[in-house]
Amino acid sequence: MTLILRVSGRVLREEARVSGRRKEEAFLAKIIVVTSGKGGVGKTTTAAAFSAGLALRGHKTVVIDFDVGLRNLDLVMGCERRVVFDFINVINGDAKLNQALIKDKRNDNLFIFPTSQTRDKEALKREGVDRVLAELKESFDYIICDSPAGIEHGAITALYFADCAIIVTNPEVSSVRDSDRIIGILNSKSRRAERGETPVSVSLLLTRYAPDRVTKGEMLTVDDVKEILSIPLLGVIPESESVLRASNTGTPVVFDGESPAGHAYLDAVARFLGEQRELRFLKPDRRGLFRLIFGRA
């Protein structure tokens, strides 16, 4: 009987250790790259909104600007005057990580990691980026990489380290075609692909969606884009003046409680975290049409 109990105890302890490892693996920091094949699709807006949305849900999140030489993330996040050191300074060992990270004033879980405005993209040394990301993983739940558009050095570097990728595209043929190319690169040139590991988890975020233009045949439908790219749909962000207003004021649009785009981004964050959310803003706004015709507020 004693032997049986001892064996049982060892089994229970072993099961506890396995369970602990599984929990630890489940909470490992995830690197999410926000990318696109075409410029001007709302990628930096998405990186800002998505990182802020995760922070609002209680996840400690950092968003990194990979667009060396053309940085805009600090402007969109409203912290451009607080930049002292940047991503390249940390890679080169000229500054420590905590000197370059900027804590968001609106949410304690959100941090911004700006990049250099004066260096070129070749300054993104893969070994240095790997080291910095490993250090960030020790402190953060999610690391959002705001990738440059296309397939130049900065974009490839951001894609290489991704665990998850959010493909941002507009409902236009050229944008969707370029996004398809990015998916191919993720499947072949990421670190996960090189190592034969589980592929990068890829999902689609359709931005600047205007239902009235879709009805007129001026834009692709959601189903058209899904059929071409054949990846899971994370969300549809409606065309909204509030997005431009948010960018100009340095405030991620998810902090605007009246913005349809802000609500759509929060829905996308919820789906990313495993929740079920119905897609909204897919039909023309009849109230807007009524106001246009009758001139009423």
Side-chain angles (χ1 to χ4, degrees):
M1 178 65 70
T2 303
L3 179 61
I4 292 174
L5 287 174
R6 285 177 181 169
V7 171
S8 176
R10 284 200 300 272
V11 170
L12 288 173
R13 284 195 297 273
E14 180 61 28
E15 286 180 350
R17 282 196 293 270
V18 171
S19 175
R21 283 199 301 271
R22 286 174 179 167
K23 287 181 180 178
E24 187 177 333
E25 290 171 0
F27 287 96
L28 283 176
K30 284 187 170 59
I31 298 175
I32 306 169
V33 64
V34 178
T35 184
S36 66
K38 185 175 181 290
V41 297
K43 182 172 40 53
T44 298
T45 296
T46 295
F50 207 83
S51 58
L54 286 168
L56 287 170
R57 296 295 298 266
H59 299 284
K60 193 173 181 183
T61 305
V62 58
V63 55
I64 308 174
D65 193 343
F66 270 77
D67 200 356
V68 180
L70 294 171
R71 76 179 190 208
N72 284 309
L73 180 64
D74 55 316
L75 291 170
V76 174
M77 299 296 291
C79 64
E80 67 277 9
R81 295 182 181 178
R82 298 168 63 195
V83 177
V84 179
F85 295 108
D86 56 52
F87 193 13
I88 305 303
N89 291 140
V90 178
I91 288 174
N92 291 339
D94 299 326
K96 294 188 180 299
L97 183 60
N98 66 304
Q99 292 178 286
L101 289 176
I102 300 172
K103 189 175 183 179
D104 187 80
K105 293 180 179 180
R106 295 151 296 212
N107 191 293
D108 289 342
N109 291 319
L110 181 59
F111 289 76
I112 301 94
F113 197 177
T115 196
S116 173
Q117 201 168 20
T118 58
R119 304 292 293 272
D120 60 45
K121 300 182 191 302
E122 298 303 318
L124 280 173
K125 305 296 184 184
R126 185 169 288 186
E127 298 78 9
V129 174
D130 192 13
R131 174 176 48 80
V132 174
L133 290 176
E135 189 175 350
L136 288 169
K137 281 186 173 184
E138 296 176 4
S139 304
F140 290 91
D141 301 319
Y142 291 100
I143 301 166
I144 312 297
C145 302
D146 180 22
S147 167
I151 55 173
E152 47 83 15
H153 178 72
I156 295 297
T157 303
L159 295 173
Y160 180 78
F161 295 100
D163 298 311
C164 309
I166 298 174
I167 307 294
V168 182
T169 187
N170 295 157
E172 302 168 356
V173 173
S174 60
S175 180
V176 175
R177 180 191 61 192
D178 291 345
S179 294
D180 203 21
R181 188 177 185 189
I182 295 297
I183 295 170
I185 292 172
L186 281 163
N187 290 335
S188 60
K189 292 189 176 182
S190 67
R191 180 163 61 180
R192 285 177 170 268
E194 283 186 0
R195 294 178 175 179
E197 297 175 348
T198 305
V200 176
S201 174
V202 182
S203 52
L204 168 66
L205 195 70
L206 190 57
T207 56
R208 296 181 178 168
Y209 191 78
D212 54 338
R213 294 186 62 190
V214 172
T215 301
K216 295 175 183 177
E218 297 174 357
M219 282 186 171
L220 298 174
T221 67
V222 173
D223 288 338
D224 289 336
V225 179
K226 287 171 61 179
E227 183 177 353
I228 295 169
L229 296 180
S230 299
I231 56 175
L233 178 65
L234 188 62
V236 178
I237 312 301
E239 181 76 64
S240 174
E241 291 181 2
S242 62
V243 172
L244 179 59
R245 183 168 61 248
S247 295
N248 287 337
T249 59
T251 305
V253 72
V254 295
F255 290 125
D256 182 351
E258 302 299 319
S259 168
H263 288 299
Y265 273 117
L266 290 174
D267 285 347
V269 169
R271 293 187 196 99
F272 180 84
L273 295 174
E275 297 179 18
Q276 297 293 322
R277 292 284 179 97
E278 183 179 356
L279 285 171
R280 299 188 279 173
F281 315 114
L282 299 186
K283 296 180 180 179
D285 184 356
R286 296 301 176 188
R287 290 174 301 174
L289 181 62
F290 185 85
R291 287 195 298 268
L292 181 65
I293 295 174
F294 295 100
R296 297 186 181 182

